Amino acid sequence: MDSFETLIGKNINEVVLNESDTFFVAPLEYFYKNCGKRYPASKLKLADLDYFDMIDFTELFKFEAILIIWYFEDVITDLELYYLSNDFDILLMDYYYIKKSIDEGEAHKLREGDTKYLGASRLDEKVLQPNSDKLANKRELVLKKKYLQKILNELGFKYL
């Protein structure tokens, strides 16, 4: 990865972002509302969700911090190291809600609104699920936009 000092002002498409041994690296785009407040453009995908071999919570969150590389109109504007460990209790509750739904054969009923920060984002393709004869949409585990907005708000980004 390029050194941190040189990333600000660069085009996100020209920067090489490698995995880190100490934190998760996440390039995240944001936009501005009419009032000038920043908001995240999308959810942050963490992993594909395999109903028959669900990733462990400790593997999903193997790092306690996330390096967020915020960019606007393809230009990197901010770098923030956010400690996910501050929210592990809520992320863990969300994880177990999703896992319980899958274990009970209710993956087809999962909604992102059922959880606070960690979501099981629905994809178009349908697949088999455990303990049920109903097909369920494939999913991916994501940090929800609501959670990313919380991070933006806590970091104290200023309005335009």
Side-chain angles (χ1 to χ4, degrees):
M1 179 187 319
D2 292 325
S3 70
F4 295 127
E5 303 84 38
T6 63
L7 288 176
I8 303 295
K10 281 195 172 183
N11 186 303
I12 190 70
N13 301 311
E14 297 172 1
V15 175
V16 176
L17 301 173
N18 298 322
E19 285 279 323
S20 169
D21 294 334
T22 54
F23 49 80
F24 183 73
V25 179
L28 291 172
E29 185 174 19
Y30 66 88
F31 295 111
Y32 286 98
K33 294 183 178 184
N34 288 338
C35 65
K37 185 175 182 179
R38 293 181 186 194
Y39 67 97
S42 63
K43 310 167 212 177
L44 175 61
K45 178 183 173 182
L46 298 175
D48 290 321
L49 180 53
D50 181 344
Y51 293 134
F52 292 93
D53 187 21
M54 189 163 170
I55 188 170
D56 289 327
F57 182 82
T58 53
E59 181 63 25
L60 185 62
F61 294 104
K62 60 185 169 189
F63 305 117
E64 77 174 81
I66 181 172
L67 174 64
I68 303 174
I69 301 171
W70 292 105
Y71 65 96
F72 177 69
E73 295 179 348
D74 291 335
V75 176
I76 297 172
T77 60
D78 301 282
L79 302 170
E80 296 294 337
L81 191 61
Y82 184 81
Y83 288 89
L84 294 168
S85 55
N86 296 334
D87 302 312
F88 273 170
D89 54 340
I90 295 171
L91 291 165
L92 184 63
M93 285 186 339
D94 290 348
Y95 174 86
Y96 278 112
Y97 180 87
I98 294 166
K99 185 172 178 7
K100 180 180 176 209
S101 295
I102 293 167
D103 291 345
E104 293 177 352
E106 300 289 322
H108 61 285
K109 293 183 179 179
L110 275 172
R111 304 285 180 267
E112 275 192 70
D114 296 339
T115 55
K116 286 185 83 171
Y117 297 160
L118 180 67
S121 184
R122 182 183 298 187
L123 303 173
D124 289 335
E125 185 181 346
K126 295 213 177 209
V127 295
L128 292 173
Q129 63 174 313
N131 305 318
S132 177
D133 56 355
K134 294 188 178 187
L135 293 177
N137 288 78
K138 280 183 97 171
R139 296 178 187 269
E140 51 192 23
L141 293 169
V142 298
L143 293 180
K144 295 168 62 168
K145 284 175 78 170
K146 173 184 172 180
Y147 183 54
L148 299 175
Q149 184 67 58
K150 173 189 174 294
I151 293 171
L152 271 172
N153 294 344
E154 285 182 7
L155 296 175
F157 284 122
K158 304 293 182 218
Y159 296 105
L160 276 176

